Amino acid sequence: MYRTEFMKKTFKWKKSFVLLVSAAVLVFGVVGGTLAWLIAEPQQVTNNFEYAQVSCQVEETFKDNVKSNVSIKNTSNVSAYIRAAVVVTWQDAAGNVYGTNPVADRDYTIAFNTNGWTKRGGFYYWDQPVEKDGYTGELITTCEPIGGKAPEGYTLCVEIVAEAVQAEPATVVSEAWGFAPVSSEN
């Protein structure tokens, strides 16, 4: 009788011990596997992010002292809003500016095409974003001096100074220029 009770107690103890060891092995295996998965070195990932490069270029025709067909090309790698200022001065051959500016309709004539352009302050804003490699509409159709009005040694100089700002996000143009083109107000 003593031997059978001893075997029952030993068997219970062995069963509990085996269950405890099995549970411990299972817990350590799960924890160890999780740690190994977290610590393992991931494969290197290449970031192909490309920065927006925003720029523009004035396109115009100049023939027989007449500037015409003035528009601006978006040379950016993203769509952009474009604005332009028209600066009219008298300049000599060295690029020196005369002290008095020429006066429109007295010293020169200029014909603006305001279709798609909004004038605000000293700038003309193109109302729509221009896709990369796209063009604004024509800003100046013609500009020419009125004969004999230039100061001695000076000629009429009409410069178009253009700027571009990326079109996305839509708030960039108003933050950069304080102006919301028609297309970004919707």
Side-chain angles (χ1 to χ4, degrees):
M1 177 166 197
Y2 178 70
R3 185 173 161 107
T4 54
E5 265 191 49
F6 176 74
M7 287 184 75
K8 283 182 185 179
K9 285 182 183 179
T10 305
F11 180 71
K12 276 186 178 180
W13 182 79
K14 285 183 182 179
K15 186 177 179 183
S16 298
F17 179 73
V18 167
L19 285 173
L20 183 64
V21 169
S22 297
V25 167
L26 182 63
V27 167
F28 287 124
V30 169
V31 170
T34 302
L35 285 175
W37 180 74
L38 291 174
I39 294 173
E41 282 189 43
Q43 291 185 356
Q44 192 171 18
V45 177
T46 302
N47 185 358
N48 294 326
F49 180 78
E50 184 178 335
Y51 290 103
Q53 297 173 352
V54 183
S55 59
C56 61
Q57 177 179 328
V58 175
E59 301 282 329
E60 62 189 10
T61 304
F62 190 74
K63 184 177 180 183
D64 297 328
N65 227 12
V66 176
K67 185 179 291 244
S68 61
N69 304 319
V70 177
S71 63
I72 293 100
K73 180 180 181 181
N74 178 8
T75 56
S76 309
N77 63 356
V78 294
S79 61
Y81 282 103
I82 294 177
R83 73 177 181 177
V86 179
V87 181
V88 183
T89 58
W90 297 117
Q91 288 188 11
D92 66 12
N96 298 313
V97 176
Y98 190 71
T100 305
N101 286 335
V103 177
D105 297 326
R106 185 187 80 194
D107 299 320
Y108 65 96
T109 60
I110 189 165
F112 288 98
N113 174 18
T114 56
N115 188 23
W117 292 94
T118 300
K119 185 176 183 190
R120 182 171 172 202
F123 290 96
Y124 292 88
Y125 295 84
W126 183 247
D127 289 332
Q128 303 293 321
V130 179
E131 294 302 318
K132 75 178 200 170
D133 297 323
Y135 291 85
T136 64
E138 190 176 65
L139 174 61
I140 298 174
T141 53
T142 61
C143 180
E144 60 185 303
I146 296 175
K149 302 288 183 170
E152 182 75 30
Y154 289 85
T155 57
L156 184 70
C157 180
V158 180
E159 296 176 281
I160 296 25
V161 181
E163 292 181 298
V165 66
Q166 68 188 44
E168 294 295 328
T171 58
V172 172
V173 68
S174 61
E175 290 171 3
W177 294 339
F179 180 75
V182 174
S183 66
S184 69
E185 291 176 351
N186 296 333

